[in-house]
Amino acid sequence: MAGVARLSLRTASAHRSRYVLGAGAVGVASAFMVAGSMLIEALSAQMRVAGADDAGQSAGLFALLSAFGLVVIVAAGFVITNSFQTMLAARSRELALLRSVGMRGRQAFASVLVEGLLVGIVGALAGLALGSIAAWGVIAVAMPGATLVAPGASTVALSLGVSLTVTLAAVLAPARRATRIPPMAALSSAETLTADHIGRTRVALGAGVLALGLGVAFVPIQGGGALSILAFTVGALISFAGMSLLAPIFVPAMARMVTIGITRRPAGRLAVGNLARGRRRTSNTTMAVVLGVTLFTGVNVVLNSALVTTRAAGYTPDDSGTVFALAFGLTGLTILVGLLGVLNTIVLSVRERAQELSLLRAVGMTVREVRRTVTIEGTLVGLVGVGLGIVLGLAGSALLMTRLPDEGLLFAPPWTLIGAVALGSLALVATSTRVVAGRAASCRPALAVAG
């Protein structure tokens, strides 16, 4: 076991730049949970000083922030899985060499798990520091007179426990894949993107989970109310899990539909082909974006609809701006994690395909065409994720509102906000991907013959 730990530490040190984005995603999720817990503690202390009964409000706020935190950490899980899958593909020859000199399958499995543990620990600790700073800033600005609390033992335990659990769960599939790398793979001189095979078992399981989720979401409940809303929420989460299993099938198809006008050019055809070859990775990245955008759209549609209905009845809530700002910040973090996953995927994909890109340069592909191909790949992932997320968010919020006790609630999506966030997300993806594309274009043709 000591040898496995030393191998994992050496690997993490040698490939530290490849772990940064995965740890960053964990850090964002961890910071969210830490800041939320500290803000609740500060608010409770302030209410106790004022002599108010805070038990019910604190419990409700904690439940709300915990739900958002779980969504953020699930999105981070998609990013971590993609990171390790791509890193293992890039290190397949190295692992095969170790297998050929006596490394056992379970040792390879344990090595990847230890690497995941390191990513989770680093991300959780970074999130602990970042979340504490963010909470202190909010308390100082928005809660004058409140005591600057330090993260308690329960907060630290929650952050570490959830971060490590999700990180280890996210690396299980890549770890199992590491045990199946044959020693003969050490003879391969290239590390290229290979086509993913989607088995019938995955398709059947995905369809079954999706059907189960829809059944739970639309189960008729007498009287409606909180139980009806809970059933819809649980069903929506189950349905999303089913969609994630089926995503390798429909995400590349959606990308092809979006690119009908640009596939006449070589760069467009190559971009769509690369997304189809790595469809598991593409679908995981896309679903992380879908999760964030769906949550953002749904929450803001429900809040805006409630505000419009209230104003139509002649009332104007004084704290509506604060509520919208809080919702924007909470749900925006989930989108940020998803977009971080897009950048992560493109960065690792470019490193994995360095020899392939050099070969394309050697046979006549220009620097501009290489840059355009990689830029189109990242933009397509963002475009499909944002578009599908908006559609699901609108549909989900409309269905959820039918289960709210107030049947007179008007459906009023904040189109300006949704459009601005969608355009901003796509612009961020396109800009960051173009920077990575510049690195891809720098691959020299001579590398194509390197062994």
Side-chain angles (χ1 to χ4, degrees):
M1 190 62 188
V4 170
R6 287 195 298 269
L7 173 62
S8 300
L9 288 172
R10 284 199 300 268
T11 301
S13 177
H15 302 279
R16 55 185 176 274
S17 62
R18 298 185 179 187
Y19 292 86
V20 169
L21 290 176
V26 177
V28 170
S30 174
F32 181 92
M33 290 184 289
V34 170
S37 178
M38 292 175 63
L39 288 174
I40 292 172
E41 186 176 347
L43 179 62
S44 298
Q46 196 173 40
M47 292 179 68
R48 284 194 297 270
V49 170
D53 182 11
D54 70 304
Q57 295 187 36
S58 296
L61 186 58
F62 180 77
L64 176 63
L65 291 177
S66 297
F68 277 116
L70 287 176
V71 173
V72 175
I73 197 73
V74 167
F78 281 103
V79 178
I80 296 165
T81 299
N82 275 1
S83 298
F84 275 84
Q85 285 177 341
T86 310
M87 284 185 285
L88 284 177
R91 292 171 48 211
S92 58
R93 191 180 181 191
E94 171 190 336
L95 289 171
L97 283 170
L98 292 172
R99 293 293 306 277
S100 66
V101 296
M103 187 181 193
R104 298 178 180 178
R106 64 172 179 268
Q107 290 175 315
F109 182 85
S111 174
V112 176
L113 284 185
V114 172
E115 292 173 33
L117 185 65
L118 292 173
V119 169
I121 292 175
V122 171
L125 292 178
L128 182 63
L130 192 62
S132 299
I133 294 172
W136 290 331
V138 172
I139 292 171
V141 174
M143 301 171 64
T147 304
L148 294 180
V149 297
S154 59
T155 300
V156 176
L158 176 66
S159 173
L160 286 172
V162 175
S163 298
L164 294 180
T165 299
V166 173
T167 303
L168 291 177
V171 302
L172 279 178
R176 287 196 299 267
R177 188 174 180 178
T179 65
R180 296 194 293 267
I181 296 177
M184 289 298 294
L187 300 177
S188 173
S189 61
E191 295 169 349
T192 58
L193 185 63
T194 57
D196 289 328
H197 173 69
I198 307 301
R200 294 181 180 179
T201 302
R202 182 189 181 104
V203 175
L205 179 62
V209 172
L210 179 59
L212 175 63
L214 293 175
V216 173
F218 294 105
V219 62
I221 296 179
Q222 188 69 26
L227 185 58
S228 179
I229 295 173
L230 178 62
F232 180 85
T233 304
V234 172
L237 292 174
I238 297 174
S239 299
F240 184 83
M243 288 184 61
S244 299
L245 290 171
L246 297 173
I249 299 174
F250 67 80
V251 167
M254 292 180 66
R256 285 195 298 271
M257 291 174 60
V258 171
T259 58
I260 289 176
I262 66 173
T263 50
R264 297 176 183 177
R265 297 185 177 183
R269 289 197 299 271
L270 280 172
V272 175
N274 288 332
L275 292 179
R277 282 194 296 157
R279 51 185 175 171
R280 286 178 185 263
R281 178 169 57 201
T282 300
S283 63
N284 285 343
T285 304
T286 304
M287 294 309 290
V289 179
V290 170
L291 180 62
V293 177
T294 299
L295 182 68
F296 176 87
T297 304
V299 169
N300 284 282
V301 166
V302 172
L303 287 177
N304 193 66
S305 298
L307 180 60
V308 170
T309 304
T310 303
R311 286 177 175 172
Y315 301 98
T316 303
D318 295 331
D319 58 349
S320 59
T322 303
V323 173
F324 267 101
L326 179 62
F328 183 88
L330 294 177
T331 54
L333 273 178
T334 317
I335 297 180
L336 177 62
V337 172
L339 297 180
L340 189 65
V342 177
L343 179 61
N344 178 54
T345 297
I346 298 300
V347 168
L348 296 177
S349 177
V350 166
R351 290 183 175 181
E352 177 185 352
R353 292 158 45 205
Q355 193 169 11
E356 176 184 330
L357 292 171
S358 299
L359 181 60
L360 291 173
R361 291 287 314 281
V363 297
M365 195 173 192
T366 65
V367 170
R368 180 177 297 181
E369 288 172 333
V370 173
R371 183 183 291 114
R372 185 182 297 124
T373 299
V374 177
T375 303
I376 290 174
E377 286 182 38
T379 305
L380 278 177
V381 173
L383 186 60
V384 172
V386 170
L388 184 57
I390 290 176
V391 172
L392 292 177
L394 291 172
S397 58
L399 293 171
L400 177 61
M401 286 167 57
T402 63
R403 300 204 164 199
L404 294 177
D406 185 3
E407 297 180 358
L409 203 61
L410 300 173
F411 183 67
W415 295 114
T416 302
L417 178 63
I418 293 174
V421 170
L423 292 176
S425 299
L426 292 176
L428 181 61
V429 168
T431 303
S432 58
T433 304
R434 187 168 181 80
V435 173
V436 178
R439 180 169 184 171
S442 66
C443 295
R444 299 182 178 180
L447 182 60
V449 298

